[in-house]
Amino acid sequence: MASFSYDSPSILRLGTLTSLRWFAVAGQVIVLATVRFVLGFELPVGPVLALIAAGAGVNLYATFAFSPARPLSEREIVSYLSFDTLQISSILFLTGGINNPFSLWLIMQAMLASSNLPLRRASLVIGIVIASLTFLALQHQPLPWTTAAGFSLPRIYNLGIWTGLMLGVAFTSAYAYRVASEHRKLTAALGATQSALSREERLSALDGLAAAAAHELGTPLGTIQVTAHEMASEVPEGPLREDAELLVSQAKRCQKILKRLSQSGQAGDAVHNVITLDTLLREAARPFLETPGKQIAFRFDSDSGAVPDQMERRPEAIYGLRNLIENAVKYANNVVELSASWDDQVLTVTVSDDGPGIPSETMIRLGEPYPRSGSRANGKGGLGLGFFIAKTLLERTGGVLSFGNHNDRSGAWVGVTWPLAELIQNPTSQGTPRAQPEEVYAT
């Protein structure tokens, strides 16, 4: 199974950064022309144009030298964003420093770094942005103005602008990093979910193929066995009769093997695509039925008196329930209970344990791919990715999850409720009545 790491950053394509830089270059040219020729403010047009040309030159080189679809490494992203930060800072130095309203452009570099780089490398770009803003607050050319002395604000007001810009960098960087991190977590978790489901579907398909093969081979193998038996009874004593008897014994052995295959196959054709509620629960719990020191109890409670036995086999439902059972077995002290109840409209399957229960801080975030506080009270680990995978798979089948802790005893419970129409193969036939609940223990 492929491994997934939600700490790995999402790498930018070269075309994305060059497009953003072309937008910035066009904006710088428009602002320069407007301020100088429309508003009439004096500007160092030559140096500013040289800095703008430097940005355009880097963009032209990147455009012609590399493919726009080329993904950038972390180091290249840091280099590109650092260059843009220094280029914008140089223009701001010539045009008023942080007094220039366009000093907000520097915040964008910090935001891009936070959303596309791991924290260590993003901190490098953010540090350059903060250092540039601090330098521009202390040293810069006067803001172009109608008077010869230019425009100058009091030092205390400059401090306020600098503080506001620092808070803007901090907030937007933290927000962008958090959003990008949640996106990466979700992407990795969904990838793990899809991988788990694909594996379950492959196993289910192999079971079905085995059942179909057993069904198809049963008739010709029976014919071979009858013919070999007749040969053995008619051939006189000797090597030929021994061969015939060997053929009979091997044919019987093949029949036993095919019988086991047909019993294990569950999804090969229309017959094996139908599953009973009892089989569904037992198949989901099968890997844990022989867990040392643990018992798994099955209980069926009916509000309608008929056990659903025409349910469609859904690998998502089986694997999702299996993940819930695995969590319960992991935290249970002695007993895990699987209970099923139903009426004419819905089916509810509940998995409960007698463990320490779910802490309140975990309960709030349960269902997220990687909850930070995802641990049970006994310190056995988290309820993050496994529970998220189970939730995702079960919701794909139409199920709705609920969970909590028992009020009258220790332990936690997780319930899955389905509309019966989502699971029943033939809604008009739901099996034979069962007079009373059945309870079976497997150790």
Side-chain angles (χ1 to χ4, degrees):
M1 178 177 176
S3 61
F4 296 90
S5 172
Y6 65 83
D7 290 326
S8 59
S10 57
I11 302 300
L12 280 173
R13 292 185 304 111
L14 177 63
T16 302
L17 283 184
T18 53
S19 297
L20 289 174
R21 186 177 290 133
W22 282 129
F23 178 79
V25 167
Q28 291 164 0
V29 171
I30 292 173
V31 171
L32 177 64
T34 301
V35 172
R36 177 64 183 88
F37 300 108
V38 177
L39 300 180
F41 294 143
E42 291 294 331
L43 283 171
V45 176
V48 173
L49 278 178
L51 291 170
I52 296 175
V58 171
N59 236 21
L60 287 172
Y61 171 77
T63 300
F64 289 108
F66 306 102
S67 169
R70 174 175 175 266
L72 297 173
S73 66
E74 294 176 0
R75 181 172 298 182
E76 288 174 326
I77 294 175
V78 170
S79 300
Y80 272 81
L81 295 180
S82 299
F83 171 81
D84 289 340
T85 301
L86 296 177
Q87 188 246 9
I88 295 173
S89 299
S90 300
I91 295 176
L92 291 174
F93 172 78
L94 296 173
T95 56
I98 62 172
N99 294 332
N100 189 321
F102 294 99
S103 58
L104 291 172
W105 281 10
L106 288 175
I107 295 180
M108 184 180 69
Q109 311 305 317
M111 184 178 65
L112 286 173
S114 300
S115 59
N116 292 280
L117 291 170
L119 185 59
R120 180 174 59 88
R121 293 191 182 274
S123 299
L124 178 60
V125 178
I126 294 172
I128 295 175
V129 171
I130 292 175
S132 298
L133 288 171
T134 303
F135 176 79
L136 292 173
L138 300 174
Q139 298 290 333
H140 57 80
Q141 299 296 324
L143 185 71
W145 202 245
T146 53
T147 61
F151 182 83
S152 180
L153 292 171
R155 184 175 295 275
I156 188 65
Y157 194 84
N158 279 333
L159 178 62
I161 295 176
W162 178 85
T163 303
L165 290 172
M166 291 298 103
L167 292 176
V169 170
F171 176 80
T172 55
S173 299
Y175 179 79
Y177 182 81
R178 181 64 182 272
V179 170
S181 177
E182 292 294 329
H183 173 72
R184 289 191 289 268
K185 292 177 184 179
L186 185 61
T187 300
L190 288 175
T193 302
Q194 187 62 42
S195 177
L197 179 58
S198 297
R199 185 176 68 245
E200 187 69 17
E201 289 175 340
R202 287 196 300 270
L203 293 175
S204 181
L206 287 175
D207 281 345
L209 182 61
H215 177 74
E216 295 295 331
L217 292 174
T219 300
L221 188 61
T223 303
I224 293 173
Q225 184 179 2
V226 171
T227 303
H229 184 74
E230 291 178 353
M231 291 173 58
S233 61
E234 295 179 0
V235 173
E237 293 289 340
L240 188 58
R241 183 168 183 174
E242 292 178 0
D243 291 342
E245 290 175 349
L246 178 62
L247 186 60
V248 171
S249 65
Q250 293 302 308
K252 289 181 179 180
R253 182 182 177 188
C254 288
Q255 280 189 327
K256 292 180 181 179
I257 295 174
L258 291 179
K259 184 178 180 180
R260 288 201 303 268
L261 290 176
S262 64
Q263 289 174 346
S264 64
Q266 298 290 334
D269 50 32
V271 174
H272 292 102
N273 277 332
V274 178
I275 190 172
T276 65
L277 175 60
D278 180 84
T279 305
L280 170 68
L281 297 184
R282 293 182 188 280
E283 184 168 341
R286 183 171 55 191
F288 316 105
L289 290 179
E290 297 182 0
T291 302
K294 304 290 178 68
Q295 292 179 328
I296 296 183
F298 296 87
R299 192 180 74 234
F300 300 90
D301 296 325
S302 170
D303 295 331
S304 63
V307 182
D309 64 354
Q310 294 293 319
M311 299 170 59
E312 181 182 359
R313 171 177 293 277
R314 302 288 294 273
E316 303 99 319
I318 295 173
Y319 194 86
L321 286 174
R322 186 171 296 168
N323 270 13
L324 298 181
I325 297 170
E326 181 180 11
N327 270 334
V329 170
K330 182 178 181 180
Y331 296 107
N333 293 325
N334 297 297
V335 176
V336 174
E337 184 180 87
L338 276 72
S339 61
S341 61
W342 61 92
D343 55 28
D344 294 334
Q345 302 296 325
V346 298
L347 165 67
T348 300
V349 175
T350 304
V351 182
S352 59
D353 62 70
D354 61 347
I358 306 174
S360 56
E361 64 272 14
T362 302
M363 194 88 68
I364 298 174
R365 300 178 62 89
L366 195 57
E368 297 180 10
Y370 299 91
R372 293 182 179 179
S373 57
S375 61
R376 288 281 192 105
N378 60 4
K380 292 184 180 179
L383 289 171
L385 183 57
F387 191 89
F388 173 81
I389 290 176
K391 180 174 181 290
T392 302
L393 294 177
L394 292 170
E395 286 179 348
R396 287 182 57 172
T397 65
V400 177
L401 267 70
S402 56
F403 48 84
N405 292 323
H406 296 294
N407 295 324
D408 55 343
R409 57 186 174 91
S410 64
W413 60 270
V414 180
V416 189
T417 300
W418 289 276
L420 272 180
E422 295 286 341
L423 297 178
I424 298 300
Q425 183 87 349
N426 182 9
T428 60
S429 173
Q430 292 187 13
T432 58
R434 179 170 290 177
Q436 59 184 1
E438 176 189 17
E439 190 167 319
V440 180
Y441 284 87
T443 58

